[in-house]
Each structure stands twice: as structure tokens, then as C-alpha cells.
């Protein structure tokens, strides 16, 4: 049996971001990332600070943990990280969830393809803008989108770009123009990961949201798009496991 490095299993909560925002869901957060974004809100998955908390679990153990935690109060599981696309054979987790009538979503940055991507019900690809300090490999991203097209999975796919500044907006325009038929989400960047007063953070993020809305309204290249905050950050602030 394959084992997967898992840092958190939590929920039910709501999906706070993107294409299925508001959907009641459980989360499985895997450890390890091939990126190190300057503003990563889940840096504990890759910076070594939580390495003692990483558990190596089989698919069966993950499902048992999901059921022990969420009971029968869920029918949707979101796999995030870190980058879950570093893991081969995740189909061993996805197929038994589907057999139980549970839908599966994935959060990944579009830096790696895995053959199980076509099994995902809600696939969010979140390429990283300049503020992250990461560079997009456009050949890899093109290849991922092309494979999803070939597999007939574009209806299950969305693109989500986090925005902190004007250069990020130009990057977002480029991504949207390149893959113009794919549902496109702009997401407010949380630039205050140290704030532990959730009301203070929420009012700051709402101002950032207003700024982002204004910018998107102004742009002639960002028309068929959706602009969203991270709803969980507005409700629970920087708390982990929500
Ligand atoms: C923590 S990542 C894990 C999945 C994958 N590594 C990725 O980046 O897509 C989940 C989502 O959170 C977003 N995110 C990370 N840090 C953020 C921040 N400070 N503000 C807003 N969104 C952030 C990422 O862009 C991504 O869309
Ligand atoms: N509620 C909630 N929604 C989320 N959407 C994406 C998340 C992530 O960290 O991948 C996340 C998260 O951590 N919590
Ligand atoms: S790709 Fe995702 S998990 Fe990895 S560093 Fe960037 S935001 Fe964090
Ligand atoms: Mg998060």
C-alpha cells in the first residue's frame, strides 16, 4: 500500500476559495512543495517547521481519519498542500472516495502533471504571479491544460491567481488570455499572515478586496472573471485547520 505524507485532516468546513467557494468540504493537507512562495499561507507544509507532525498514511487510513473527524456530515473532500501533485498514485485515495459518493477537489499550482488529475471533480490550478518570487514554466502549464482538454475535463477545471500588486494583475491578464475558455478567478492576497486578531485581518482584507475589485473593473482584459476573497480568512483569520 502506498503511503502519503499528511499534515492535516480537518473539517467539515467550507471551501473558502475559488470555483466551489462555499461548498461544505473536508480538507486533506499533504506535506511538501516544489515551490516556496514568498507569501505562502501554508509554509508549514514545506519549511520544516511542522516536520514532526507529518504522518505517513495509506489511502485507507486517510479515509478512516476523514470519517472519524467528519462523520456522515460531508460528501466532498478537498486535497491541498503543499503540492499534492508531487504524489503519484493518489487515485488510490480518489477512487474509494468516489465509491462512497464523495466528490474530490484538488488545489495545485500547475507545476506538475499527474495521471490521476482527470479523476478530480473540482480541479483548481493556481499559477503563481511575480509577487510570489516563483517563475511559471509555461510549457508545463500548457501541457497540463492540454492533457485536461484531451481527457474532456475542462468543465471540472478552473484557474485561480492570487493578486498582491499591479504586476500580479498583468500576470493574471496574461494567464486569462492564454487559457481564455477556462473559468478564471482572481483572489485577494493575504499580506498579513502574522495578524492573530481575526477582526483586524478581516477589515484589512476587505479593503484589499475593494482595491482588487476596482482594478478588475478598470481592466479591459479581465471581463469573464470572478473576484473573490478567501472567505475562511474573513471568518476565522489566520487560524490553521479551518
Ligand atoms: C496553500 S496553496 C496549496 C496548493 C498549491 N500549492 C497551490 O499553491 O495552489 C492553496 C491556495 O492558497 C493560495 N494562497 C497561498 N498563500 C496565500 C496568501 N497569502 N493569500 C492568498 N492566497 C494564498 C495559493 O495561491 C493556492 O491557491
Ligand atoms: N476553508 C478553507 N478553504 C480553503 N481553500 C483552499 C485552502 C487551502 O489551503 O488550500 C483552504 C483552507 O485552508 N481552508
Ligand atoms: S505553491 Fe502553494 S503550497 Fe507551495 S509555496 Fe506556493 S502557495 Fe505555498
Ligand atoms: Mg489555505
Amino acid at each position: 500500500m502506498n503511503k502519503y505524507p499528511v499534515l492535516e485532516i480537518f473539517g467539515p468546513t467550507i471551501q473558502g476559495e475559488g470555483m466551489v467557494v462555499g461548498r461544505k468540504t473536508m480538507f486533506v493537507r499533504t506535506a511538501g512543495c516544489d515551490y516556496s512562495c514568498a507569501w505562502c499561507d501554508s509554509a508549514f507544509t514545506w519549511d520544516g517547521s511542522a516536520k514532526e507532525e507529518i504522518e505517513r498514511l495509506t489511502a485507507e487510513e486517510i479515509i478512516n481519519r476523514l470519517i472519524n473527524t467528519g462523520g456522515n456530515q460531508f460528501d466532498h473532500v478537498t486535497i491541498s498542500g503543499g503540492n499534492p501533485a508531487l504524489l503519484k498514485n493518489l487515485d488510490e485515495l480518489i477512487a474509494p472516495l468516489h465509491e462512497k459518493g464523495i466528490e474530490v477537489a484538488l488545489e495545485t499550482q500547475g507545476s506538475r502533471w499527474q495521471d490521476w488529475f482527470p479523476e478530480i471533480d473540482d480541479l483548481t490550478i493556481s499559477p503563481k504571479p511575480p509577487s510570489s518570487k516563483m517563475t511559471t514554466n509555461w510549457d508545463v502549464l500548457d501541457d497540463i491544460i492540454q492533457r485536461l482538454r484531451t481527457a474532456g475535463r475542462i468543465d471540472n477545471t478552473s484557474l485561480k491567481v492570487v493578486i498582491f500588486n499591479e504586476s500580479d494583475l498583468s500576470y493574471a491578464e496574461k494567464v486569462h488570455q492564454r487559457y481564455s475558455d477556462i473559468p478564471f478567478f482572481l483572489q485577494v492576497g493575504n499580506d498579513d499572515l502574522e495578524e492573530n486578531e481575526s477582526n483586524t485581518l478581516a477589515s484589512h482584507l476587505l479593503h484589499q478586496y475593494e482595491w482588487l475589485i476596482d482594478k478588475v473593473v478598470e481592466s479591459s482584459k479581465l471581463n469573464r472573471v470572478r473576484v473573490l476573497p478567501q472567505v475562511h480568512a474573513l471568518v476565522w483569520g489566520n487560524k490553521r485547520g479551518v
Side-chain angles (χ1 to χ4, degrees), residues 10 13-17 27 29 80 107 232 242:
F10 64 90
T13 180
I14 55 141
Q15 168 55 275
E17 306 176 12
F27 277 87
R29 193 181 300 286
S80 185
E107 300 274 338
H232 55 105
V242 290

Side-chain angles (χ1 to χ4, degrees), residues 19 60 67 70 73 76 107 136 156 158 198 231 236:
M19 69 192 291
E60 195 179 321
I67 292 168
Q73 296 151 246
H76 190 277
E107 300 274 338
T136 302
N156 302 76
S158 74
S198 68
V231 176
W236 297 293

Side-chain angles (χ1 to χ4, degrees), residues 152-164:
R153 300 305 284 176
I154 287 302
D155 287 350
N156 302 76
T157 305
S158 74
L159 288 159
K160 176 173 76 184
V161 177
V162 177
I163 307 293
F164 286 82

Side-chain angles (χ1 to χ4, degrees), residues 172-197:
E173 291 177 342
K174 178 173 171 175
V175 175
H176 181 45
Q177 279 185 313
R178 197 173 182 102
Y179 315 107
S180 57
D181 60 326
I182 300 185
F184 192 82
F185 294 80
L186 295 110
Q187 173 164 304
V188 176
N190 176 1
D191 59 1
D192 197 355
L193 300 171
E194 301 302 314
E195 178 60 62
N196 40 41
E197 184 51 60

Side-chain angles (χ1 to χ4, degrees), residues 32-76:
C33 194
D34 46 326
Y35 279 12
S36 51
C37 299
W39 37 251
C40 180
D41 64 8
S42 305
F44 62 92
T45 61
W46 52 265
D47 69 4
S49 61
K51 69 170 186 289
E52 269 79 53
E53 295 167 52
I54 300 170
E55 294 185 89
R56 297 193 64 82
L57 303 177
T58 64
E60 195 179 321
E61 287 167 335
I62 293 172
I63 291 171
N64 288 339
R65 201 73 72 85
L66 283 165
I67 292 168
N68 286 340
T69 312
N72 56 7
Q73 296 151 246
F74 71 95
D75 68 354
H76 190 277

Side-chain angles (χ1 to χ4, degrees), residues 74-147:
F74 71 95
D75 68 354
H76 190 277
V77 171
T78 304
I79 305 170
S80 185
N83 188 6
L86 296 178
L87 306 173
K88 294 185 200 306
N89 315 115
L90 261 192
D91 46 311
E92 285 179 19
L93 172 62
I94 299 162
L97 287 170
H98 281 162
E99 276 162 32
K100 293 182 189 300
I102 297 168
E103 292 188 299
V104 183
L106 179 75
E107 300 274 338
T108 189
Q109 64 264 38
S111 58
R112 301 281 177 100
W113 167 264
Q114 290 291 346
D115 287 336
W116 46 264
F117 279 11
E119 311 306 318
I120 295 290
D121 300 290
D122 307 309
L123 174 46
T124 296
I125 299 175
S126 183
K128 296 298 177 263
S131 62
S132 70
K133 302 280 198 279
M134 299 296 110
T135 26
T136 302
N137 185 327
W138 296 100
D139 292 338
V140 171
L141 190 54
D142 285 352
D143 179 64
I144 290 172
I145 300 289
Q146 189 49 49
R147 285 171 188 260

